[in-house]
Amino acid sequence: MSIWWSLHLRREAASVPLARRLLLGTMETAGVDPEISYDLSVALTEACANAVEHGGDGLDASAEAYRVTAYLDGELCRIEVADAGPGFTAAEAPRRAHDDAEHGRGLFLIRELADHVHIGGRPGRGGAVVSFDKILKWREDAPLVAV
């Protein structure tokens, strides 16, 4: 089984729950285990919130949007969130969250919830790309179980 979708969203807070609900609905329909779905939805929420907050400089109209792409392919889910902001490298990304910090926990949470995380830029276009994978588990009654 293979499912993928891509959204082009405005950098507005209201776009974050839209992406999350689409992901949860897709995984529910496919029969993904609810714990895995929840972990991925929290990671997606954090990645989208980062794109909304940091994904543009206000000077470029393309920076007013970001893209979310999700792939469920066999036993793996890969999610990618790309924006047109100033970008950063994996080395610049925080490696741990401070207990009293109000910001900076998003990438840490994504790393904790996903099996593999890649953080980088978009060569030649600027912006940031956060992608993460998780091995899927299926409900016993899953209608679209991978074969």
Side-chain angles (χ1 to χ4, degrees):
M1 179 225 19
S2 182
I3 299 170
W4 74 271
W5 51 259
S6 186
L7 299 171
H8 187 84
L9 299 165
R10 290 185 60 95
R11 284 185 43 241
E12 297 174 352
S15 68
V16 177
L18 173 66
R20 182 180 175 130
R21 283 192 298 266
L22 181 58
L23 179 67
L24 285 169
T26 300
M27 290 201 261
E28 170 68 23
T29 300
V32 174
D33 178 82
E35 286 185 35
I36 299 294
S37 297
Y38 178 78
D39 287 352
L40 284 168
S41 72
V42 171
L44 174 63
T45 298
E46 293 298 332
C48 290
N50 282 346
V52 167
E53 185 172 347
H54 306 291
D57 58 12
L59 302 176
D60 181 5
S62 69
E64 293 307 310
Y66 67 103
R67 181 179 40 83
V68 176
T69 306
Y71 307 89
L72 280 78
D73 191 19
E75 297 293 321
L76 183 74
C77 179
R78 170 168 286 157
I79 297 172
E80 179 179 287
V81 178
D83 65 50
F88 58 94
T89 65
E92 296 170 322
R95 296 304 276 171
R96 70 182 204 89
H98 299 282
D99 292 339
D100 59 350
E102 292 201 21
H103 298 290
R105 294 176 185 241
L107 292 173
F108 174 77
L109 278 171
I110 294 168
R111 284 188 179 109
E112 290 297 310
L113 295 169
D115 294 327
H116 178 262
V117 178
H118 174 74
I119 299 168
R122 299 185 320 167
R125 296 189 293 174
V129 177
V130 175
S131 65
F132 48 96
D133 303 339
K134 191 157 182 84
I135 302 294
L136 298 174
K137 294 180 189 171
W138 302 93
R139 296 188 325 253
E140 285 187 32
D141 65 340
L144 300 176
V145 174
V147 181

